[in-house]
Amino acid sequence: MKKLMAANWKMFKTWDEARSTAEELVDLIGAKLPEDREILIFPPFTSLKGVGDVFSKAEGFFVGGQDFYIEEEGAFTGEISPKMLKDVGSVYGLTGHSERRHVLGEDDTYIGNKTSYGLSAGLKVVLCIGEKLEERKGGKIEEVLERQLRVGLKDVSLDVDPKNLSIAYEPVWAIGTGEVAGPEEIIKAHAFTRKILLSIFGEKANEMRILYGGSVKPGNCGEIIALDNVDGVLVGGASLHSESFSQIILA
Ligand code: PEP
């Protein structure tokens, strides 16, 4: 299984800035991209096409949409569909990111609807899960992860191609804070996630990627990516600069 080195650019970068960062990244990585790694960027919608065009000439580089709506088209002001994302070169879609859950108010059920709709509409989906600090302090990590997984995947077909569904474990307290979950915590959460996936999808769950996200940096990525059941990373802040993201990709 190839490791997925994913970047979430959130609401950062204009068209020119996004294209320059993408071009720098392709130049920095060039032929050095290891066989077992893939690169994925979630740019803002406004630069999806620009970044996708840069990546179209580079093997192993993909773009995805940070969000999408659960219809093909219609009177849904401000929304964008998987069909539109694919039209501008997106292969992936992101669901359940903590900012959409906790800043924009999306609940588990809606995130589940998006995850199954995105897959059935032909996107590969990365579903984010993760506990808040108070849930961690209250010993509720597994309870939260299990609920987010079972509701988030409730309508996903059991026939899903396992290569099309990835989970990103992102403890909310580690996102953008400089705090990273320790190796034991990551191993435990990823093993638990794999166990739940196996209970839903059977053996094919071993082919689903589980990414870690939360203050991944060039200095800690090598250790994290080598842990059991860590099949990639999802990076926010450190992915905004081509230099630091290229070091993470090659870590
Ligand atoms: C994220 O936004 O998904 C993320 C993990 O951010 P950061 O790497 O900045 O913690």
Side-chain angles (χ1 to χ4, degrees):
M1 171 177 3
K2 292 194 181 199
K3 303 242 188 214
L4 186 59
M5 314 305 280
N8 175 14
W9 282 356
K10 311 189 187 198
M11 201 174 72
F12 291 103
K13 294 190 186 291
T14 59
W15 168 274
D16 282 343
E17 290 163 351
R19 273 190 68 103
S20 318
T21 309
E23 276 162 5
E24 287 161 20
L25 203 59
V26 173
D27 286 347
L28 283 165
I29 301 291
K32 286 186 284 185
L33 182 63
E35 276 275 297
D36 67 341
R37 299 209 171 173
E38 282 176 350
I39 299 172
L40 165 62
I41 303 233
F42 292 105
F45 293 142
T46 47
S47 17
L48 255 173
K49 173 100 178 88
V51 176
D53 284 352
V54 174
F55 284 0
S56 64
K57 291 161 218 122
E59 183 94 5
F61 288 65
F62 301 93
V63 287
Q66 293 177 21
D67 190 29
F68 53 86
Y69 192 60
I70 52 176
E71 295 282 348
E72 188 176 292
E73 60 185 12
F76 304 106
T77 302
E79 295 296 332
I80 187 160
S81 71
K83 182 182 170 189
M84 292 165 173
L85 289 179
K86 289 196 297 176
D87 186 46
V88 290
S90 299
V91 175
Y92 284 82
L94 191 64
T95 60
H97 190 275
S98 82
E99 286 141 24
R100 298 221 59 95
R101 288 179 191 269
H102 305 304
V103 181
L104 294 149
E106 293 187 5
D107 65 14
D108 292 329
T109 304
Y110 182 55
I111 290 162
N113 293 344
K114 263 206 267 195
T115 302
S116 54
Y117 182 76
L119 286 164
S120 62
L123 288 174
K124 293 176 190 251
V125 173
V126 179
L127 165 66
C128 303
I129 58 170
E131 80 287 353
K132 294 193 271 188
L133 186 59
E134 57 270 29
E135 293 164 334
R136 180 190 190 214
K137 285 186 179 152
K140 293 193 170 150
I141 297 181
E142 294 192 349
E143 186 188 313
V144 171
L145 299 189
E146 179 159 9
R147 190 196 70 235
Q148 292 179 343
L149 282 166
R150 292 204 184 276
V151 184
L153 298 171
K154 65 185 167 53
D155 293 325
V156 172
S157 163
L158 296 182
D159 291 334
V160 66
D161 181 339
K163 288 188 225 58
N164 292 349
L165 176 63
S166 303
I167 306 297
Y169 170 58
E170 299 206 299
V172 178
W173 50 270
I175 297 180
T177 59
E179 300 253 359
V180 188
E184 292 310 318
E185 287 175 287
I186 298 177
I187 289 171
K188 206 167 158 214
H190 281 230
F192 181 76
T193 299
R194 182 79 68 200
K195 187 177 98 180
I196 302 296
L197 291 175
L198 283 163
S199 78
I200 301 171
F201 297 104
E203 278 304 302
K204 69 159 70 160
N206 285 318
E207 295 165 59
M208 292 172 178
R209 291 185 282 204
I210 306 176
L211 320 184
Y212 170 77
S215 296
V216 173
K217 304 271 183 275
N220 60 25
C221 186
E223 182 188 14
I224 293 170
I225 200 85
L227 298 172
D228 275 357
N229 281 310
V230 176
D231 308 307
V233 286
L234 179 55
V235 188
S239 73
L240 292 170
H241 306 284
S242 53
E243 188 65 45
S244 56
F245 192 46
S246 65
Q247 287 169 23
I248 287 171
I249 291 164
L250 300 175

